[in-house]
Amino acid sequence: MIRIAIVEDEEASVRQLEEYLKIYQRESGNELRVTVFGDGEEIVRRYQPNFDIILMDVQMKQVDGMTAAEIIRGQDPEVVILFITNMAQYAIHGYAVDALDYLLKPVSYFAFSQRLDRAIERLKKRTTRYITLPVRGGSRKLDISDIRYIESQGHNLTVHVHNGTVTVSGTMRELEDELGPYGFFRCNKGYLVNLEHVDAVRDGCAIVDGESLLISRGRKNAFLEAIASHMGGRLK
């Protein structure tokens, strides 16, 4: 699933981009989820760091695309930004916000599909993977490799990262499903552990950043197999 935001205040341009995305989805086989924002002010006000690509018009009445991109970059260093503009001279300003490229209006499908190919290729080359989690008052994007373990505490979850903790809402099962492909494993009902950060297994516990996390009897063999596989068979 590739999450795309269209930020455009002209209805005809929005319809064109939506149609191009439908064609691109059919031709490429990529599953796209598209959200439309009517202007720069709307995306800045409602922004959550869970988009992969933003198609951003430069000239808008409320908040222009360059200003919106600068604000978004402060919250989200990874999202790929493609500017859409009537005037080529605006494109050079995109370097200031690390825009990938620009499209000149009127936008042809050929140029659109080429730029989108390039944007998706950048997504595939990322070595850093992120997860966006719901927190009080909004959301928080975390580097998955930075997460040590997740602890269930009542109706909330505490995510332990290298420099502290983040309290999020949701269920352990949801995060287990989402993070399982990235080397996370439940050592007991209350802990979801990033196997990358397990320093040792000792006295029935997984040692993570100096903390001893109990491995339940029923999960012990599966946990040991998972960590041995993750570490290439070499258990510390």
Side-chain angles (χ1 to χ4, degrees), residues 9 23 46-47 49 62 91 115 209 216 218:
D9 61 356
I23 297 170
R46 295 173 48 197
Y47 191 74
Q62 299 297 323
R115 301 305 195 282
D209 272 8
S216 66

Side-chain angles (χ1 to χ4, degrees), residues 107-119:
V107 179
S108 71
Y109 178 73
F110 178 75
F112 177 85
S113 62
Q114 281 195 321
R115 301 305 195 282
L116 206 56
D117 280 342
R118 189 178 173 203

Side-chain angles (χ1 to χ4, degrees), residues 62-83:
Q62 299 297 323
V63 175
D64 67 84
M66 290 296 173
T67 301
E70 289 175 2
I71 296 170
I72 288 169
R73 267 289 174 255
Q75 303 176 54
D76 191 345
E78 293 296 320
V79 66
V80 177
I81 298 174
L82 289 170
F83 280 119

Side-chain angles (χ1 to χ4, degrees), residues 65-104:
M66 290 296 173
T67 301
E70 289 175 2
I71 296 170
I72 288 169
R73 267 289 174 255
Q75 303 176 54
D76 191 345
E78 293 296 320
V79 66
V80 177
I81 298 174
L82 289 170
F83 280 119
I84 302 170
T85 178
N86 286 310
M87 304 178 70
Q89 60 263 38
Y90 282 108
I92 193 170
H93 299 297
Y95 291 111
V97 291
D98 190 30
L100 177 66
D101 212 329
Y102 73 97
L103 286 159
L104 194 61

Side-chain angles (χ1 to χ4, degrees), residues 181-202:
Y182 303 108
F184 284 71
F185 199 90
R186 291 274 287 276
C187 66
N188 66 38
K189 185 178 180 180
Y191 293 111
L192 179 63
V193 176
N194 186 347
L195 300 177
E196 187 70 29
H197 294 290
V198 176
D199 298 315
V201 174
R202 186 169 57 243

Side-chain angles (χ1 to χ4, degrees), residues 15-235:
R15 288 195 298 270
Q16 182 187 58
L17 291 173
E18 288 180 319
E19 183 61 31
Y20 282 175
L21 287 169
K22 289 178 183 177
I23 297 170
Y24 185 86
Q25 181 171 247
R26 289 197 301 268
E27 292 182 348
S28 68
N30 290 303
E31 185 179 358
L32 310 179
R33 177 181 293 173
V34 180
T35 304
V36 177
F37 297 91
D39 55 47
E41 188 275 335
E42 184 181 2
I43 191 171
V44 167
R45 174 169 45 83
R46 295 173 48 197
Y47 191 74
Q48 301 290 335
N50 52 14
F51 291 105
D52 299 301
I53 299 169
I54 298 177
L55 304 173
M56 179 84 77
D57 186 23
V58 173
Q59 295 168 284
M60 292 181 286
K61 295 177 182 178
Q62 299 297 323
V63 175
D64 67 84
M66 290 296 173
T67 301
E70 289 175 2
I71 296 170
I72 288 169
R73 267 289 174 255
Q75 303 176 54
D76 191 345
E78 293 296 320
V79 66
V80 177
I81 298 174
L82 289 170
F83 280 119
I84 302 170
T85 178
N86 286 310
M87 304 178 70
Q89 60 263 38
Y90 282 108
I92 193 170
H93 299 297
Y95 291 111
V97 291
D98 190 30
L100 177 66
D101 212 329
Y102 73 97
L103 286 159
L104 194 61
K105 292 182 178 181
V107 179
S108 71
Y109 178 73
F110 178 75
F112 177 85
S113 62
Q114 281 195 321
R115 301 305 195 282
L116 206 56
D117 280 342
R118 189 178 173 203
I120 291 173
E121 189 62 30
R122 175 180 280 194
L123 294 177
K124 291 178 179 178
K125 288 181 178 178
R126 286 179 181 167
T127 56
T128 302
R129 297 182 183 274
Y130 291 88
I131 184 171
T132 301
L133 299 174
V135 299
R136 180 175 294 178
S139 62
R140 175 87 175 266
K141 180 181 278 190
L142 296 175
D143 179 348
I144 288 175
S145 66
D146 191 36
I147 299 173
R148 271 48 178 173
Y149 64 95
I150 298 167
E151 180 180 5
S152 176
Q153 292 189 331
H155 297 294
N156 293 316
L157 301 173
T158 299
V159 182
H160 295 257
V161 294
H162 81 283
N163 60 350
T165 60
V166 179
T167 300
V168 305
S169 57
T171 68
M172 190 69 88
R173 175 56 64 86
E174 290 171 342
L175 285 187
E176 183 179 14
D177 291 342
E178 189 165 1
L179 292 172
Y182 303 108
F184 284 71
F185 199 90
R186 291 274 287 276
C187 66
N188 66 38
K189 185 178 180 180
Y191 293 111
L192 179 63
V193 176
N194 186 347
L195 300 177
E196 187 70 29
H197 294 290
V198 176
D199 298 315
V201 174
R202 186 169 57 243
D203 299 328
C205 294
I207 311 302
V208 182
D209 272 8
E211 297 290 331
S212 296
L213 309 181
L214 182 66
I215 304 170
S216 66
R217 183 176 301 176
R219 299 174 188 262
K220 182 177 180 180
N221 289 339
F223 182 80
L224 291 175
E225 288 175 6
I227 193 169
S229 175
H230 183 79
M231 301 176 69
R234 299 184 301 277
L235 192 61

